[in-house]
Amino acid sequence: MQKNTEPNKQLFNGFSASDTEQINRALAIIAKIPEDPHYFRPKGVEVATILMDFNVDLKTILAAILSDPRLAHLNPKPNIKEQFGETVATLVNDVNWLNKLTVYSLEMTDQPSQTETLRRMLLSMTQDVRAVLIKLAYRIQRLKVLPRESYELRRFIAQETLDIYAPIANRMGIHQLKWELEDMAFRYLKPQSYLRIAKSLTDNRIQRENCINKFIALLQKKLAEESLSADIYGRPKHIYSIWKKMCRKHLDIDELYDLLAVRVIVNNLTACYATLGIVHSLWQTIPKEFDDYIANPKENGYQSLHTVIIDPDGNRIEVQIRTQQMHDFAELGVAAHWSYKEGGKHDSAIEKNIASLRKLLEETTSPEHSRKEGSDETLSESFRSELFNDRVYVLTPAGKLIDLVKGSTPLDFAYAIHTEIGHRCRGAKINGRIVPLTYTLKSGEQVKILTAKDGGPNHNWINPNLGYLKTSAAISKVKSWFKNQQQAQNIATGKTILDKESQRLGLKALNLTELAKHFHQPDTDRLLEAIGRSDINSRQLAAFFKVPELEAPVPVQRKKPEAKSVISVTGIDNVLTSFAHCCSPVQGNDIIGYISHKKGITIHRKDCENILHLDPEKQAQLISVSWGTKKASYAVPIVIDAFNSHNLLNDVAQILAQTKIHISNAALDTHPDFSARLNLTIQIENTDQLSQVLNKINQLPNIADVKRKT
């Protein structure tokens, strides 16, 4: 039997008729959940009522109601996207994910870097900032019903709140939630300290209020006499912040002098100092407690005048004086506020996203203030794109969080754990499933590294074409390992790499002296050593090598007026160009043209020896040229030997399609032992591209050899 939803409907006043109709539909869905004797009303409804104090938008209210975890047990499950739209459905998914997250452990309390990484992970994996706000409200609701739980669970949830969720609320500038989270968590963690401070505040409440009221009345009178207007009010001190100050200053609550606090908001900068002068003329001050954060703002941009006075009864009152603009900046919860309180680092991306959050919170739901269609999605996208968008957060099997650059691989993870783990890494498991070392990690995944007892890194790991490593730190560690190997071993390794690359490209004769000169090495041994240490990689070698098919001169002919040439010559149309054999420029090289009398314009690399040593009188024949948008391609035959013909052609074709390389001819020969030879003719733009695609094909399973056919 469906429950009566009327009492819950009364909680959501002030919405338009159409918005109220959507809320009622959400309440009707929640009403299908069996009643829970522990809750006065459904959990999602309770959370939504908490958020009503923040004047949030309709979608946030709907998502709060519909993210009640017990909805998962309904059969059939409601189609939230169909009934309430994609934004609400995404919010509900994010909140459900946040509510199920079990990464935190009590050990993180003593590991500040781990708690900060977890906070960043929570924010980076949430698509909409409003989901974080809903999660914070769920945590308030969770703390309210915590007394019925075991001592161990109360302690765990309370400590997690102080370590993770209260700092996130502070970071986002939602101070009301921050203080409530801190005080409620503190009550469960240290009940005796909480009750003692609360009792002291209660016992002295009337005295404090009288003291503050006298101060405000006198100051208001004096400001009026000087024709200065101001909003003056007492600032409440929260129990957890009082306790932290007691611990920091090693004082009892009766010895704390700044439990009395007043804030004065004035119209302009001049009024700030005028008000300060009046305060100092009316009461005795404590000079060492005066701070001018207007003339000398904090690093985070915070501005205000702080002073402490002593009233006639001997009470010390902390006074803050600021303009409305300064007050709004402080209350926005920019990264600076959290930096000051938590000792963190200023982050402009977070500052922008707190502003986005505040815009969402301050929007009214009345029709006359309704937002333009899509603006909330724009704010959500801003949050998503600006906040930690370049990081990925993964876990070790022990639950430790590792912060990596987005696009990192298991091999990057291994080197982040320890250099030796990286060197001996031979495989990886993600959430228990074996993946290749080139797998791109995603936030929230658990990574286990499989290692060998000894051994070192593979040269392929620092090949930029193969995608084993993303982080510069890991790449540097691999290169360092190779550099530390014995010279003879490096020379032997370099010769093996050079032979393999030249064989793959089908080059029968190499001029090592010319190659050493090109890479500025004193002799061929130093050249091979540099290759063996990976100071010279396969891409650099490929850029130097001259593949016959890729050396043919390419005349530029304009078939159609709108067509773009391979080479663009400044100010000249329909001119014959050809590539110089001395330096064999390829797409991407810096190039220059030389006007010859018989061959038109010859294209050289700018670092070509013939160009660098050109006679002064011939330098007048140089002309600026550039690569056009149309790229030349050349037919290059390659041969692939495989142990098994199964899916060979399909696998190779997929790699060529991904790299946008056209196949002009293909022939597959299979043998009785299932081995095969695949002959292809592919259209290649330059030697570097040929080297890359041969490397990628060689990484396929069952490949015995791949090379240019000669």
Side-chain angles (χ1 to χ4, degrees):
M1 180 175 167
Q2 186 163 310
K3 297 190 290 287
N4 180 14
T5 62
E6 288 304 320
N8 292 330
K9 291 181 180 179
Q10 303 305 316
L11 300 170
F12 303 102
N13 296 319
F15 287 89
S16 67
S18 60
D19 290 353
T20 300
E21 188 273 332
Q22 291 193 64
I23 291 173
N24 290 342
R25 281 196 285 119
L27 292 174
I29 293 174
I30 290 292
K32 298 175 184 177
I33 301 173
E35 291 189 10
D36 188 333
H38 297 295
Y39 294 96
F40 173 69
R41 58 174 66 100
K43 188 183 296 186
V45 175
E46 186 72 31
V47 170
T49 59
I50 293 172
L51 293 170
M52 286 290 288
D53 291 338
F54 297 91
N55 197 26
V56 294
D57 66 341
L58 173 68
K59 291 176 182 177
T60 305
I61 293 294
L62 292 172
I65 296 172
L66 295 167
S67 53
D68 191 310
R70 294 172 299 163
L71 271 185
H73 303 301
L74 287 183
N75 191 13
K77 294 180 182 178
N79 190 325
I80 295 174
K81 181 178 179 180
E82 184 178 287
Q83 295 187 58
F84 300 97
E86 185 171 355
T87 300
V88 174
T90 300
L91 279 170
V92 169
N93 288 336
D94 276 356
V95 175
N96 287 337
W97 179 84
L98 288 167
N99 282 335
K100 292 175 183 175
L101 192 71
T102 56
V103 174
Y104 177 79
S105 64
L106 287 177
E107 288 73 22
M108 287 187 180
T109 299
D110 301 320
Q111 301 171 348
S113 62
Q114 281 286 284
T115 55
E116 172 58 18
T117 301
L118 179 51
R119 291 176 212 142
R120 286 175 172 258
M121 173 182 163
L122 292 178
L123 292 171
S124 71
M125 293 182 68
T126 305
Q127 298 184 53
D128 192 319
V129 65
R130 289 168 290 186
V132 181
L133 177 59
I134 297 170
K135 171 58 185 176
L136 295 176
Y138 262 97
R139 180 46 59 109
I140 292 287
Q141 184 273 338
R142 184 77 174 92
L143 290 165
K144 287 180 178 179
V145 298
L146 211 51
R148 71 167 189 257
E149 305 290 358
S150 66
Y151 168 79
E152 290 77 14
L153 185 57
R154 288 201 304 271
R155 180 173 178 269
F156 180 88
I157 297 235
Q159 193 63 57
E160 182 185 39
T161 301
L162 286 182
D163 286 344
I164 305 300
Y165 294 106
I168 286 178
N170 184 43
R171 184 167 304 189
M172 296 179 131
I174 318 170
H175 297 130
Q176 183 176 333
L177 279 179
K178 168 190 178 284
W179 292 323
E180 193 169 357
L181 287 166
E182 287 179 341
D183 281 0
M184 293 177 76
F186 178 58
R187 183 172 187 171
Y188 294 120
L189 284 173
K190 295 188 177 293
Q192 292 182 340
S193 297
Y194 178 92
L195 292 173
R196 189 166 68 86
I197 296 172
K199 184 177 184 304
S200 176
L201 292 175
T202 301
D203 292 344
N204 298 303
R205 180 176 60 83
I206 296 176
Q207 178 187 346
R208 290 200 315 276
E209 288 179 353
N210 289 335
C211 175
I212 292 294
N213 290 337
K214 286 181 183 178
F215 176 90
I216 292 175
L218 180 55
L219 182 57
Q220 284 281 26
K221 178 183 176 183
K222 291 297 182 182
L223 290 176
E225 291 174 1
E226 299 295 331
S227 299
L228 293 170
S229 61
D231 291 328
I232 310 174
Y233 53 89
R235 267 195 322 117
K237 289 288 186 175
H238 296 273
I239 293 177
Y240 181 67
S241 63
I242 291 172
W243 179 78
K244 285 204 300 184
K245 188 164 289 188
M246 289 167 58
C247 294
R248 188 168 63 250
K249 295 191 174 184
H250 305 289
L251 297 173
D252 193 72
I253 187 169
D254 297 328
E255 299 174 282
L256 289 179
Y257 65 82
D258 55 355
L259 294 179
L260 300 172
V262 171
R263 182 169 289 145
V264 184
I265 309 295
V266 295
N267 294 332
N268 52 54
L269 183 62
T270 303
C272 287
Y273 289 99
T275 302
L276 178 68
I278 291 172
V279 169
H280 283 188
S281 69
L282 291 173
W283 292 279
Q284 179 185 346
T285 64
I286 304 176
K288 68 176 182 179
E289 298 294 341
F290 171 70
D291 289 297
D292 184 349
Y293 293 120
I294 294 178
N296 301 292
K298 293 183 179 181
E299 278 187 14
N300 53 39
Y302 173 88
Q303 287 185 297
S304 187
L305 295 174
H306 290 195
T307 190
V308 176
I309 63 97
I310 302 175
D311 71 5
D313 298 321
N315 298 302
R316 300 188 182 198
I317 303 175
E318 180 189 55
V319 185
Q320 295 180 354
I321 306 169
R322 59 179 70 151
T323 66
Q324 187 64 50
Q325 184 179 3
M326 296 172 191
H327 179 66
D328 290 342
F329 181 86
E331 289 299 302
L332 278 177
V334 292
H337 182 80
W338 121 66
S339 302
Y340 159 51
K341 294 293 186 184
E342 298 173 41
K345 193 175 181 181
H346 181 75
D347 191 322
S348 59
I350 295 175
E351 179 175 327
K352 291 178 183 176
N353 284 285
I354 290 161
S356 296
L357 172 73
R358 277 300 180 190
K359 289 177 185 176
L360 288 169
L361 294 183
E362 291 166 1
E363 290 291 353
T364 155
T365 54
S366 61
E368 61 270 22
H369 291 95
S370 60
R371 292 192 304 278
K372 294 180 180 179
E373 184 66 28
S375 63
D376 57 341
E377 282 77 8
T378 301
L379 288 169
S380 299
E381 182 59 32
S382 170
F383 171 76
R384 182 72 170 159
S385 63
E386 291 174 356
L387 190 57
F388 312 128
N389 66 330
D390 59 343
R391 312 302 298 175
V392 63
Y393 305 91
V394 291
L395 295 109
T396 68
K400 181 179 179 181
L401 277 164
I402 303 297
D403 179 357
L404 295 168
V405 174
K406 191 172 183 179
S408 293
T409 66
L411 202 51
D412 288 298
F413 172 89
Y415 276 104
I417 297 298
H418 194 279
T419 301
E420 280 304 311
I421 299 294
H423 289 341
R424 295 188 288 110
C425 175
R426 295 299 177 267
K429 286 185 177 181
I430 303 295
N431 297 335
R433 177 175 57 89
I434 291 180
V435 298
L437 292 179
T438 53
Y439 175 86
T440 301
L441 297 174
K442 301 177 184 65
S443 285
E445 292 179 328
Q446 186 184 76
V447 186
K448 181 178 181 180
I449 297 299
L450 310 175
T451 59
K453 289 185 178 180
D454 48 35
N458 188 307
H459 272 277
N460 285 336
W461 293 358
I462 46 178
N463 186 328
N465 302 326
L466 302 181
Y468 280 98
L469 290 171
K470 171 74 173 180
T471 59
S472 57
I475 294 171
S476 176
K477 289 176 181 179
V478 175
K479 288 184 176 180
S480 178
W481 188 90
F482 286 117
K483 286 180 181 179
N484 291 333
Q485 302 306 297
Q486 293 181 352
Q487 184 182 35
Q489 182 179 343
N490 280 331
I491 291 174
T493 302
K495 188 174 188 310
T496 300
I497 293 172
L498 188 60
D499 289 346
K500 184 177 180 180
E501 187 66 18
S502 61
Q503 289 171 14
R504 181 176 294 165
L505 295 174
L507 305 175
K508 295 180 179 178
L510 286 180
N511 187 330
L512 292 185
T513 302
E514 184 182 346
L515 189 60
K517 182 179 179 182
H518 174 79
F519 287 109
H520 307 291
Q521 299 297 326
D523 53 50
T524 56
D525 277 351
R526 299 292 82 74
L527 168 71
L528 295 175
E529 185 181 0
I531 296 172
R533 289 198 314 257
S534 293
D535 289 342
I536 301 171
N537 60 40
S538 59
R539 177 174 287 183
Q540 292 169 300
L541 291 172
F544 171 83
F545 289 146
K546 300 177 180 64
V547 175
E549 289 92 336
L550 304 178
E551 288 190 85
V554 182
V556 176
Q557 298 176 351
R558 295 174 61 103
K559 295 181 181 179
K560 297 181 181 179
E562 67 274 12
K564 294 288 185 178
S565 301
V566 173
I567 297 296
S568 175
V569 182
T570 305
I572 304 176
D573 292 327
N574 299 321
V575 66
L576 180 69
T577 63
S578 61
F579 293 113
H581 292 286
C582 54
C583 57
S584 300
V586 295
Q587 188 83 24
N589 291 149
D590 289 333
I591 53 175
I592 194 166
Y594 177 75
I595 302 174
S596 63
H597 298 295
K598 296 181 179 180
K599 297 181 180 180
I601 297 177
T602 308
I603 308 303
H604 293 259
R605 290 168 53 148
K606 283 188 176 180
D607 59 357
C608 174
E609 292 293 326
N610 290 334
I611 294 297
L612 295 175
H613 298 95
L614 202 62
D615 293 339
E617 61 270 16
K618 291 185 178 181
Q619 290 180 7
Q621 293 173 244
L622 295 176
I623 186 170
S624 295
V625 297
S626 61
W627 295 104
T629 56
K630 181 181 176 184
K631 297 179 180 178
S633 64
Y634 309 84
V636 177
I638 64 172
V639 59
I640 303 166
D641 290 315
F643 299 118
N644 194 318
S645 61
H646 183 64
N647 286 335
L648 175 62
L649 183 56
N650 182 58
D651 291 345
V652 172
Q654 283 191 20
I655 285 181
L656 294 173
Q658 290 168 3
T659 50
K660 298 181 180 179
I661 292 175
H662 179 67
I663 303 174
S664 57
N665 189 35
L668 178 65
D669 296 325
T670 57
H671 307 293
D673 62 353
F674 300 107
S675 63
R677 168 166 285 193
L678 178 60
N679 286 280
L680 294 176
T681 301
I682 57 179
Q683 297 298 317
I684 293 296
E685 295 171 4
N686 51 57
T687 312
D688 186 24
Q689 187 185 41
L690 176 62
S691 175
Q692 288 185 48
V693 75
L694 293 179
N695 271 329
K696 288 183 178 179
I697 293 173
N698 196 49
Q699 298 301 308
L700 289 172
N702 297 318
I703 295 296
D705 190 26
V706 55
K707 59 187 178 183
R708 183 178 70 89
K709 187 176 181 179
T710 57

